[in-house]
Amino acid sequence: MSAVELDSRSGAVDDLYWQDACDPVTESDEELQRIVAGADLPALLAALAAATGDVSALTEDLRPPLTPVDTVNHPHGGMSAAQQEKARAVALAGLRRLRAEQITSVDILSEEHTDAILGYLSGGRKNWHGMLEHELDLSPRKNGAPDWHFDDVAGGREFRALIVGSGVAGIAAAHRFRQAGVPFTIIEAAEKLGGTWQKNRYPGVRLDTPTFGYSYSFAQRGDWPHQFAEGHEIREYLESVAERSGVDRLVEYGCRLVRAEWNEDTGLWAVTTEDRTGARTLRHFNAVITATGQLDIPNIPEFPGQESFTGVAMHSQDWDPAVDCRGKRVAVIGTGASAYQIVPAICPDVQSLVVFQRSAPWMLPAPNYHEPMTEVFSWLTRKVPHYAQFHRLWVTVLGIPGRFHTVRAEEGWHGAPLSVSPRNHEVREELIRILREQFAERPDLLPHAIPAYPPGAKRMLRDNGVWARALTAPQTTLETSPIRRFTPTGIETEAGAVHEVDVIVYATGFRPSEYLEGIDVVGRRGREIHEVWDGDARAYNGVTVPGFPNFFMVYGPNVGGVVAGSLHFMLERAAEYALKAVREVLERRVKAVDVRPEALDRFVEWVDAENRRMAWGQPYVRTWYQNGKGRVSQIWPFTNVEYWEATEDVRAQDYEFLG
Ligand code: NAP
């Protein structure tokens, strides 16, 4: 076993990217004025208040109204022109003070200052503070890291957890378990860590959410180069986080979990893993934490004649770097988030491109999609202590309400099935207006570019115009007739067209509702988890499943955010919740915890009711957010704040403790 016994205590600062000092401000007043003019004011005011220790400038009249986002962000959270003018004067004074007093660092804040800053950014929403303090690395109450240690709670007890997977979720889980000193083994089926970001290397791969909303609370990198990070940047970040946290040295690569069986007598999971050669190993663990990803199992639809195709065929996730599309005839099947990135990236260099579209995607305008961070932003991160971390916090604040208000369905709305509410209809009209502009030269394509379902029913893409440019390029054909069959040299449609191609790319997505596919998990009374679920995966808080003691899913069912919130927050909280449950087991000196069925039923009823009120929950909508039974099993329909509350404690009444 290559995993090392762990017993490291966490430091006082819970941020692997913590920077003690930044460069001093030396610029002239004119230069500072220019900086302030290009800065995001709420983040800057908060950072300056923290650095100068003067929160008195964060007056009520300067609070950003947090105007809800319909299609584009409102600058400065919707601050009025008068607010902005005043805020710029305050910011300039703050920067001058940094210069005059040569302030280049900031300490952990007092509770009072933390409250003042969070009150300012959140517009006085006190119930957001706990969640935001999970993210604010200067808070004295930062609440992600465990405040206990295995040695103090259970010193001497033999206990070992298994963490399965070293993607975004597995790294978070391993880091938190390591901080608590809980012995664990971490396995990874692939040869490298990074999960989806290791696998997805297709041309054009990058983030489609703002970079600063896509990082760990305990690893707040500040010098991200792009507004929407490129795929390799995220991969390198994950590798660097794993290195800084020491997790990378613990991962057993090429080791796949195939079976876990609970033994009620010993209180242990008998775990079977398979290595690269197919050889199986049996070992025992007290707890199992699965972090096996959600968008991981490729969906490759079946088409007649598929096997007869003699060219190259590959799924977006399994892009073969040896395949050179330049000068080739290429077909891309699908028009989701992956296709959105592949099609514009390969379009200029191919001989011909056919895009097979079943339904058109909705796209939100993001003019800065391919842009680097601005020069002003880089200056601020170099010269204002923890500016980047405050910017990250500000992105998090804006992400709490997100765009929920645009996708909430109104009962009896006459615009269905094309929209779900008046606001949703407005968004639809605005996005169609943009499409009209984009397809002005190709009115024949416009009807195919307008989705026939409500905005938000499926994942919305970020668009800076490259999709329309690729679809309207002379070498591109947008094919909307369904695929009838593959031939040895191409694809034939129902309408009878035959497209001769050299390469077929399946940008056909994943099978996200098939949680733990390929793994047998046998719990109490010999019940296998997939039989229990019967195609409808359900877990309390997305983490625990009745009948499967000490079994924790990190990023399990119903915790995915799509119009609001941070992925990292959700999976960190899930990992931290699992760790809290382990603490209960250790402190109570019991073998295991098992969630009660009634707690799960209550949870599912709660999320289902809310999902039914959303665009993606309407009966006339089909989306990967739903499973084969039609239940929305992927999506968390509330804000991050509700998840923070739901996972704050392992409530004794929700669990059975097995002695
Ligand atoms: P997807 O959104 O599920 O899109 C799959 C596409 O394939 C859809 O257009 C779908 O059409 C089409 N399709 C599926 N089966 C088909 C069939 N039998 N015949 C014709 N077309 C078929 O998959 P994805 O683009 O890989 O994205 C999945 C998720 O991964 C995203 O929603 C996002 O959460 C994540 N992702 C993120 C990034 C990023 O951050 N950079 C990039 C890529 C993916 P229908 O719409 O009609 O079903």
Side-chain angles (χ1 to χ4, degrees):
M1 195 183 295
S2 67
V4 177
E5 198 75 39
L6 283 168
D7 185 29
S8 70
R9 281 161 199 265
S10 51
V13 172
D14 182 39
D15 184 357
L16 299 167
Y17 283 72
W18 179 270
Q19 266 188 308
D20 279 333
C22 59
D23 296 343
V25 175
T26 52
E27 284 72 6
S28 65
D29 277 6
E30 291 69 39
E31 188 57 11
L32 295 185
Q33 251 159 0
R34 187 184 71 80
I35 297 286
V36 167
D40 212 352
L41 293 167
L44 182 54
L45 291 198
L48 289 170
T52 58
D54 179 7
V55 293
S56 67
L58 303 178
T59 48
E60 285 225 9
D61 64 324
L62 283 183
R63 279 183 177 176
L66 304 183
T67 313
V69 178
D70 294 343
T71 55
V72 281
N73 283 349
H74 303 285
H76 317 290
M79 276 175 144
S80 68
Q83 276 185 308
Q84 289 181 38
E85 196 184 329
K86 188 171 170 201
R88 286 198 182 98
V90 171
L92 183 61
L95 287 176
R96 280 190 182 137
R97 188 162 163 200
L98 294 194
R99 185 180 61 194
E101 296 175 26
Q102 291 291 286
I103 297 171
T104 56
S105 64
V106 57
D107 213 343
I108 299 292
L109 300 167
S110 67
E111 294 192 0
E112 189 196 340
H113 284 186
T114 302
D115 288 340
I117 290 171
L118 292 181
Y120 168 70
L121 290 177
S122 70
R125 294 167 179 83
K126 271 219 155 61
N127 63 322
W128 291 10
H129 285 208
M131 183 257 146
L132 290 173
E133 286 190 77
H134 185 272
E135 303 299 306
L136 174 55
D137 66 349
L138 295 178
S139 169
R141 298 171 296 221
K142 194 175 182 210
N143 53 60
D147 58 358
W148 57 283
H149 195 273
F150 182 81
D151 288 349
D152 303 328
V153 171
R157 176 166 171 181
E158 257 190 55
F159 191 96
R160 180 170 283 274
L162 174 70
I163 296 173
V164 186
S166 65
V168 185
I171 293 170
H175 178 58
R176 289 302 189 212
F177 273 64
R178 193 171 199 271
Q179 286 180 312
V182 175
F184 69 91
T185 294
I186 174 167
I187 62 171
E188 165 61 56
E191 298 301 329
K192 286 183 173 169
L193 57 78
T196 192
W197 294 102
Q198 195 59 253
K199 290 180 188 167
N200 282 277
R201 291 171 182 247
Y202 55 75
V205 60
R206 68 192 308 139
L207 255 189
D208 63 6
T209 54
T211 307
F212 273 84
Y214 199 86
S215 63
Y216 298 113
S217 68
F218 57 81
Q220 302 195 9
R221 177 180 172 176
D223 59 350
W224 286 104
H226 286 102
Q227 313 224 11
F228 295 81
E230 293 177 356
H232 72 93
E233 290 164 359
I234 308 278
R235 188 163 70 238
E236 286 151 15
Y237 167 71
L238 292 173
E239 287 166 354
S240 158
V241 171
E243 193 200 334
R244 288 170 190 231
S245 65
V247 166
D248 65 344
R249 297 185 289 284
L250 306 176
V251 183
E252 282 183 45
Y253 293 102
C255 181
R256 177 182 294 279
L257 173 66
V258 290
R259 183 178 171 83
E261 183 168 357
W262 174 250
N263 183 318
E264 191 84 9
D265 298 330
T266 59
L268 293 172
W269 285 96
V271 166
T272 308
T273 56
E274 199 171 79
D275 72 10
R276 304 169 181 94
T277 67
R280 295 196 163 194
T281 308
L282 177 71
R283 25 186 168 163
H284 295 88
F285 294 94
N286 300 77
V288 174
I289 294 95
T290 60
T292 48
Q294 189 193 44
L295 297 162
D296 186 58
I297 310 167
N299 166 48
I300 301 187
E302 287 180 11
F303 299 107
Q306 209 160 14
E307 298 309 316
S308 70
F309 180 66
T310 53
V312 173
M314 57 193 172
H315 186 269
S316 54
Q317 178 169 270
D318 299 318
W319 189 277
D320 180 352
V323 175
D324 185 355
C325 288
R326 284 177 299 180
K328 302 259 170 46
R329 300 164 304 170
V330 182
V332 175
I333 306 176
T335 55
S338 301
Y340 178 90
Q341 297 179 333
I342 294 167
V343 166
I346 63 170
C347 180
D349 300 320
V350 294
Q351 182 190 324
S352 65
L353 181 62
V354 194
V355 178
F356 287 87
Q357 172 178 287
R358 192 163 65 178
S359 28
W362 281 118
M363 300 179 292
L364 289 168
N368 58 349
Y369 189 36
H370 289 160
E371 298 297 318
M373 301 307 293
T374 64
E375 178 261 324
V376 165
F377 183 87
S378 312
W379 186 93
L380 289 166
T381 60
R382 278 183 287 113
K383 303 269 183 160
V384 177
H386 282 241
Y387 175 75
Q389 290 69 24
F390 275 104
H391 174 73
R392 180 185 177 282
L393 185 71
W394 173 234
V395 171
T396 306
V397 169
L398 293 174
I400 292 176
R403 284 176 285 104
F404 271 125
H405 70 290
T406 65
V407 295
R408 209 162 266 125
E410 189 178 283
E411 227 168 289
W413 169 243
H414 61 79
L418 296 179
S419 59
V420 297
S421 71
R423 183 55 68 93
N424 188 255
H425 178 76
E426 279 167 28
V427 169
R428 180 183 175 86
E429 290 295 305
E430 169 61 8
L431 297 182
I432 291 176
R433 186 192 64 72
I434 297 169
L435 288 170
R436 278 205 185 96
E437 274 175 22
Q438 292 182 334
F439 287 90
E441 306 291 308
R442 288 292 304 273
D444 58 314
L445 291 184
L446 182 64
H448 303 296
I450 300 175
Y453 56 87
K458 301 184 191 193
R459 188 166 159 103
M460 317 254 302
L461 311 181
R462 303 283 170 158
D463 181 50
N464 57 354
V466 294
W467 180 249
R469 273 206 292 286
L471 291 193
T472 55
Q475 66 275 35
T476 306
T477 305
L478 178 63
E479 182 55 84
T480 54
S481 173
I483 294 169
R484 175 186 290 157
R485 65 181 183 110
F486 282 26
T487 69
T489 54
I491 298 179
E492 189 183 313
T493 69
E494 295 281 352
V498 178
H499 299 279
E500 300 289 332
V501 292
D502 307 303
V503 179
I504 296 175
V505 177
Y506 293 103
T508 41
F510 300 88
R511 302 206 301 265
S513 56
E514 293 172 30
Y515 289 93
L516 304 176
E517 193 181 83
I519 306 170
D520 285 335
V521 183
V522 182
R524 299 172 83 181
R525 293 175 279 283
R527 301 195 67 199
E528 205 284 321
I529 204 162
H530 298 93
E531 285 168 19
V532 172
W533 281 338
D534 188 24
D536 182 15
R538 297 151 32 112
Y540 181 62
N541 285 338
V543 179
T544 48
V545 185
F548 297 84
N550 286 3
F551 185 84
F552 308 102
M553 299 178 74
V554 174
Y555 217 59
N558 282 117
V559 291
V562 278
V563 291
S566 140
L567 166 95
H568 287 67
F569 173 80
M570 295 299 282
L571 54 82
E572 279 182 44
R573 275 305 270 190
E576 290 155 14
Y577 183 73
L579 187 56
K580 285 177 197 171
V582 165
R583 179 189 186 167
E584 290 292 327
V585 168
L586 299 173
E587 268 188 340
R588 290 168 185 262
R589 299 182 194 285
V590 294
K591 281 185 193 151
V593 279
D594 188 10
V595 69
R596 294 182 187 279
E598 39 300 1
L600 174 62
D601 290 345
R602 211 175 49 238
F603 173 80
V604 172
E605 211 174 291
W606 180 51
V607 294
D608 280 359
E610 194 64 9
N611 271 325
R612 278 196 293 271
R613 287 186 200 113
M614 299 298 178
W616 52 78
Q618 300 313 299
Y620 48 83
V621 158
R622 285 305 295 157
T623 151
W624 69 253
Y625 303 167
Q626 304 158 346
N627 61 24
K629 303 256 156 130
R631 188 177 85 80
V632 175
S633 58
Q634 270 69 262
I635 305 304
W636 173 254
F638 305 105
T639 72
N640 279 175
V641 173
E642 276 101 349
Y643 197 60
W644 188 85
E645 286 163 356
T647 51
E648 205 178 349
D649 300 302
V650 173
R651 296 182 193 119
Q653 67 270 29
D654 292 340
Y655 284 88
E656 186 185 346
F657 296 91
L658 312 181

